[in-house]
Amino acid sequence: MPKADRWSSDEEEIVLLSLLPKPISHLDEGTYGVVWKARDNATQEIVAIKQIKFDSDMTKEGFPISALREIGVLLSLSHESIVSVREMVVGSTPDKVFMVMDCFEMDLQAAMKKGPGASTPFAQSEVKYMMRQILSAMAHVTSIARKYEHPARNMTQMVVTLWYRAPELLFSESCYGPEIDTWSIGCIFGELLIKEAILKGTGELDQIQKIFKLLGTPTDDEYWEQLWSKQGSTFKWKNNDSDLARTFAVNSFSATGQSYLSPDGFDLLSRLLSLNPKKRITAEDALRHSYFSCGVTEQVPMFYV
Amino acid sequence: EQPTVCSCRDYDGYLNPSDPTMITADDRKKLVEWCYHFVDHCQLSQQTVASAIDMVDRFLFTTSISNSSADNAVKVVSDEILRDQNKLQLLSITALYVAIKVNERVVVSSDRLAEMCRRVHTTGEIEEMERILLSGLSWKCHAPTAHQVGLSILSLVEPYVDIPEETWE
């Protein structure tokens, strides 16, 4: 167990972990706990320290499940584009448990707001760079998960933030796999292009309507017919054609503030946002897509510098 | 993924003790059987037992050797367990409690587990042991087990040979 006085705050004197929480440099409040920025006194490195949140309900059942799983997964992953948990630290009382992680200046959301000017779109080369990072991280996660998990078993649909949730989840599909993650990456791709979330539903039904408006209603699609008939659904959806090509202009330096998008890029976007999860491109295949091998070479985004 | 991190170093001394006051392989076997009985009763996966026993073994192996960075409290507990069947039972139940949290979709309360062992151990003791177990393992509760490796090999072989589904578990 590391010594408690190993970390200090950004400016202040040494902070004893046992005295936490004490506002040092408050970064963010995640789902499972508060994140602090601190300096490792042994190495002088800046780290992020996340305190696991114990609800009064949770303490009744010991260590929170969600945190336990997050820690377990992060500890078993090792990838340059995935934040790593350096170690776990326990404070003076049992409810003081901290994850010591690599510290990053900002998350993607903040980066999109910052950039070379909030309204300036990312360069195509920058988008490509970020997409490769995201996809290769996801390919790594998928390869690890495939090794240790049972194949497709029934799971809850209450996963993923609504705006990034795959359509099949919104229709209560409980047998799903990594396709739901590539959908989310498709949403992020679109968001990187226009610097705004592309499917901002206000509820589950509205989310479905927004998805079908952008991508068209699935017609003559084996997967969707099966899913709907399995559910005995009689609900009819208004037939829409896909709006994707109109929303994301190809080969144009438009004044609308969209990043330049090559035909290859558009093809990848539409494969990630395939309504049929069985036809959706995998992260591994996406990395082999011509979007990455042809055209502009990748470039580190400006917000890093 | 990181075999060195999860490996145990003091394999020889464990469960083959020359000291008669130490727990034996037989004690461990009884607890493994108890765990299988429990998961069958609750209709949970056998993988959960494999994962729980892996945690028990790793906790006792890795902390039984003197490690300067290892927390003293954890070492004291693991030394106690190596000489006390009752405490070994508490550790096993706790490991099962953690393995269920990590692997299963259902929640099994510490109260249920306490009930299953006829309240020899209280919920408070289980939850306290959970903290000791987790810190002893440095929270590495996702280690691959032989059971998973077996399934993984089977899934690679499966497309080429005809194995009846029943033989998998």
Side-chain angles (χ1 to χ4, degrees):
Chain A
M1 196 73 40
K3 282 216 186 92
D5 57 2
R6 246 189 58 198
W7 289 276
S8 63
S9 76
D10 230 8
E11 290 131 22
E12 293 168 49
E13 73 287 9
I14 289 168
V15 174
L16 292 168
L17 271 177
S18 53
L19 296 178
L20 282 174
K22 174 187 173 192
I24 322 163
S25 173
H26 187 221
L27 285 180
D28 192 14
E29 183 147 1
T31 321
Y32 312 128
V34 183
V35 185
W36 315 88
K37 188 173 174 178
R39 173 175 286 115
D40 186 332
N41 286 332
T43 63
Q44 298 303 309
E45 281 177 294
I46 298 294
V47 292
I49 296 185
K50 181 158 150 182
Q51 181 174 11
I52 310 290
K53 203 190 272 173
F54 284 82
D55 280 355
S56 50
D57 272 1
M58 280 171 168
T59 17
K60 274 187 213 138
E61 271 312 328
F63 203 81
I65 295 184
S66 48
L68 194 60
R69 291 187 177 182
E70 184 189 359
I71 296 161
V73 168
L74 286 177
L75 282 173
S76 61
L77 297 173
S78 163
H79 189 273
E80 54 174 8
S81 301
I82 298 175
V83 66
S84 62
V85 177
R86 296 173 171 217
E87 58 193 313
M88 298 293 301
V89 184
V90 187
S92 57
T93 54
D95 61 336
K96 289 196 171 66
V97 181
F98 306 90
M99 300 166 75
V100 182
M101 299 191 286
D102 298 340
C103 186
F104 291 96
E105 278 311 304
M106 59 190 121
D107 59 18
L108 193 53
Q109 210 165 16
M112 274 192 253
K113 280 180 199 136
K114 212 175 168 186
S119 53
T120 330
F122 287 120
Q124 187 188 199
S125 53
E126 296 176 325
V127 174
K128 210 181 259 196
Y129 181 92
M130 290 184 274
M131 282 303 290
R132 185 192 285 281
Q133 280 198 329
I134 295 169
L135 284 165
S136 65
M138 187 53 73
H140 177 71
V141 172
T142 313
S143 72
I144 297 289
R146 200 187 299 131
K147 245 177 242 170
Y148 302 129
E149 298 284 328
H150 286 277
R153 50 178 183 178
N154 285 352
M155 291 174 280
T156 172
Q157 297 94 42
M158 294 306 291
V159 290
V160 195
T161 313
L162 184 65
W163 293 351
Y164 304 90
R165 202 177 295 165
E168 64 271 21
L169 291 174
L170 293 161
F171 281 95
S172 307
E173 176 64 274
S174 58
C175 228
Y176 55 80
E179 318 85 56
I180 64 160
D181 297 316
T182 34
W183 171 275
S184 306
I185 294 177
C187 297
I188 294 169
F189 193 6
E191 188 166 340
L192 287 172
L193 293 170
I194 59 172
K195 281 197 169 181
E196 196 183 341
I198 59 169
L199 295 159
K200 296 198 276 191
T202 51
E204 294 198 8
L205 186 64
D206 187 50
Q207 187 68 26
I208 292 169
Q209 280 165 341
K210 291 221 157 66
I211 289 173
F212 287 170
K213 189 168 179 299
L214 179 65
L215 295 148
T217 326
T219 45
D220 292 327
D221 186 291
E222 210 179 307
Y223 173 84
W224 284 97
E225 275 169 16
Q226 266 182 22
L227 184 65
W228 281 331
S229 78
K230 192 170 81 186
Q231 295 175 340
S233 166
T234 50
F235 209 82
K236 283 271 171 258
W237 294 91
K238 202 179 99 189
N239 264 348
N240 276 333
D241 290 332
S242 175
D243 228 6
L244 197 66
R246 243 168 306 159
T247 314
F248 295 97
V250 167
N251 278 345
S252 83
F253 292 95
S254 64
T256 55
Q258 182 204 300
S259 295
Y260 185 86
L261 184 64
S262 65
D264 280 334
F266 182 80
D267 184 72
L268 178 61
L269 178 68
S270 59
R271 284 174 196 274
L272 288 165
L273 293 177
S274 157
L275 288 172
N276 183 335
K278 306 249 186 288
K279 291 180 183 161
R280 206 170 291 151
I281 194 167
T282 64
E284 236 172 284
D285 286 342
L287 287 167
R288 285 191 284 261
H289 191 276
S290 50
Y291 174 63
F292 292 107
S293 50
C294 306
V296 189
T297 45
E298 291 152 46
Q299 184 191 310
V300 181
M302 288 295 282
F303 57 76
Y304 276 119
V305 202
Chain B
E1 187 66 359
Q2 297 172 301
T4 50
V5 180
C6 299
S7 69
C8 317
R9 281 160 290 179
D10 188 26
Y11 239 92
D12 295 337
Y14 177 67
L15 296 185
N16 186 22
S18 43
D19 182 348
T21 61
M22 301 281 270
I23 51 156
T24 63
D26 220 40
D27 296 327
R28 180 185 177 279
K29 189 167 166 242
K30 271 182 213 151
L31 285 164
V32 174
E33 278 162 7
W34 185 87
C35 289
Y36 275 119
H37 176 78
F38 182 84
V39 297
D40 287 346
H41 181 79
C42 300
Q43 296 186 308
L44 304 173
S45 152
Q46 299 199 336
Q47 163 57 32
T48 299
V49 177
S51 167
I53 299 304
D54 161 76
M55 283 189 254
V56 170
D57 290 342
R58 261 190 305 133
F59 180 82
L60 294 176
F61 286 142
T62 45
T63 51
S64 64
I65 45 158
S66 174
N67 185 339
S68 56
S69 70
D71 188 23
N72 249 343
V74 171
K75 184 162 164 34
V76 169
V77 173
S78 100
D79 284 348
E80 265 173 25
I81 293 169
L82 284 166
R83 296 178 185 278
D84 188 336
Q85 292 178 12
N86 207 32
K87 289 232 165 74
L88 179 66
Q89 185 191 34
L90 174 60
L91 176 68
S92 307
I93 289 166
T94 308
L96 197 56
Y97 178 55
V98 174
I100 291 168
K101 285 189 186 183
V102 174
N103 296 308
E104 302 285 345
R105 288 184 63 206
V106 294
V107 178
V108 175
S109 66
S110 48
D111 191 57
R112 178 93 190 274
L113 279 155
E115 191 188 301
M116 284 295 284
C117 66
R118 299 197 187 86
R119 307 240 170 241
V120 176
H121 310 287
T122 64
T123 55
E125 284 174 326
I126 294 174
E127 284 167 24
E128 193 195 338
M129 183 56 90
E130 180 189 37
R131 290 192 291 273
I132 299 167
L133 173 65
L134 286 173
S135 71
L137 296 175
S138 305
W139 272 264
K140 295 192 180 80
C141 47
H142 258 65
T145 61
H147 188 268
Q148 282 164 322
V149 174
L151 277 182
S152 173
I153 292 171
L154 274 175
S155 69
L156 292 173
V157 172
E158 202 260 337
Y160 307 102
V161 288
D162 189 26
I163 312 170
E165 187 87 18
E166 315 73 88
T167 57
W168 280 51
E169 277 290 324

